[in-house]
Amino acid sequence: PDTTKYCEDHHVSLQHMEGDTMDPKKLEEIGAARSDCIVCMFDSSAASNTDDLTDSELITTIQSLGKLNYQKVVKRPRLVSMVHSRDTLKLIKGATEEAGLVADFILSNELESGALVQVLMDPDLEKVFNEVLSANSKELLSLQSGKVLEQDFPGFSSDYLYTDKRLKVKFQQIQKCARKNGQIAIGLILDNPKGEDKVVLIPEMQTEFELGAQDRVVVIGDFKDAYA
């Protein structure tokens, strides 16, 4: 409802389409060539998808957009999409130039830390971040790892609390667990009994950690989560 009202107030026409974005015929059918801006979103959480596969789909989509008929179009649409691997970013930018498009790409693992870049791209987002980070809304919390991972790893908190056992888990999995709780994971505080704890902020999604129950996950969430 809020999106609809915003579009009406600003005289913006918004279309949400689902399907195969890699098929030029489908893109022609939805009038992609006549759009001002195209936002591509891929379901990277699907079991069949990996970061590399999702980025490959984006490259193919860009190539398909480049094949559209732009003869009656004054200005080609701007493309906005998320890139899941820094390794493929150069290839994606090359495909974009070859297709004659202008694009904005956001690295997925830097999404939470890229608020400033996003605000520069869209000043209206400043209101959103102010709300998210306000004292009356979301908080920056340090939660015991077991509280975040318990749903996907039952018994983790109690089984690991007084032992040296470690759980190997990628930050991508930690992020997914946090989001199930309505939180956004932005880093870790790794316990060090012999000295100062190690703080890791915005790690790569594929970075693997060996977590114990004493390690903590830094999240943006509700204040009540700290006492749940």
Side-chain angles (χ1 to χ4, degrees):
D2 292 338
T3 304
T4 303
K5 187 177 185 306
Y6 179 90
C7 291
E8 290 175 352
D9 292 344
H10 292 78
H11 306 289
V12 175
S13 175
L14 178 65
Q15 259 190 317
H16 175 234
M17 305 294 295
E18 293 186 8
D20 185 4
T21 60
M22 298 181 285
D23 185 348
K25 291 182 179 179
K26 294 285 186 183
L27 295 173
E28 289 280 9
E29 288 175 10
I30 65 172
R34 299 187 300 276
S35 302
D36 294 313
C37 180
I38 298 173
V39 181
C40 286
M41 295 180 287
F42 301 95
D43 184 10
S44 59
S45 64
S48 60
N49 273 353
T50 63
D51 289 349
D52 289 340
L53 180 58
T54 302
D55 285 349
S56 297
E57 290 180 359
L58 176 58
I59 291 174
T60 306
T61 297
I62 292 170
Q63 292 171 338
S64 296
L65 286 169
K67 296 175 183 177
L68 298 182
N69 184 0
Y70 294 102
Q71 289 182 355
K72 298 181 180 179
V73 177
V74 177
K75 188 177 181 181
R76 294 193 178 198
R78 190 179 197 91
L79 177 67
V80 178
S81 184
M82 187 180 291
V83 177
H84 291 81
S85 172
R86 186 181 291 275
D87 295 335
T88 58
L89 185 56
K90 187 174 181 180
L91 292 173
I92 291 170
K93 287 183 175 180
T96 304
E97 287 183 18
E98 191 173 328
L101 299 174
V102 175
D104 295 305
F105 298 116
I106 302 171
L107 282 164
S108 61
N109 65 303
E110 295 175 359
L111 185 60
E112 291 84 12
S113 65
L116 178 59
V117 175
Q118 295 176 60
V119 169
L120 290 174
M121 289 167 53
D122 184 356
D124 286 337
L125 283 177
E126 184 176 1
K127 298 176 183 177
V128 177
F129 285 111
N130 284 340
E131 171 60 22
V132 169
L133 299 175
S134 71
N136 297 322
S137 185
K138 301 295 183 181
E139 300 280 348
L140 192 63
L141 306 172
S142 167
L143 303 180
Q144 190 178 48
S145 54
K147 283 188 176 182
V148 179
L149 299 173
E150 188 68 28
Q151 288 190 45
D152 282 22
F153 302 94
F156 170 80
S157 185
S158 56
D159 292 348
Y160 285 61
L161 192 55
Y162 300 107
T163 71
D164 292 330
K165 292 170 65 178
R166 316 294 289 179
L167 174 70
K168 288 187 177 182
V169 58
K170 292 181 179 180
F171 188 70
Q172 185 177 41
Q173 183 64 48
I174 297 172
Q175 183 67 275
K176 287 181 179 178
C177 291
R179 288 184 175 174
K180 288 180 182 179
N181 300 327
Q183 303 156 352
I184 298 175
I186 63 171
L188 297 165
I189 300 175
L190 304 177
D191 180 58
N192 180 11
K194 298 181 180 180
E196 189 174 344
D197 293 347
K198 181 179 179 181
V199 178
V200 182
L201 290 178
I202 319 296
E204 295 283 343
M205 283 293 180
Q206 296 304 314
T207 302
E208 188 174 69
F209 296 92
E210 291 190 1
L211 297 184
Q214 300 293 349
D215 296 317
R216 305 183 73 82
V217 181
V218 181
V219 304
I220 295 175
D222 291 324
F223 185 69
K224 60 181 176 60
D225 294 341
Y227 300 95

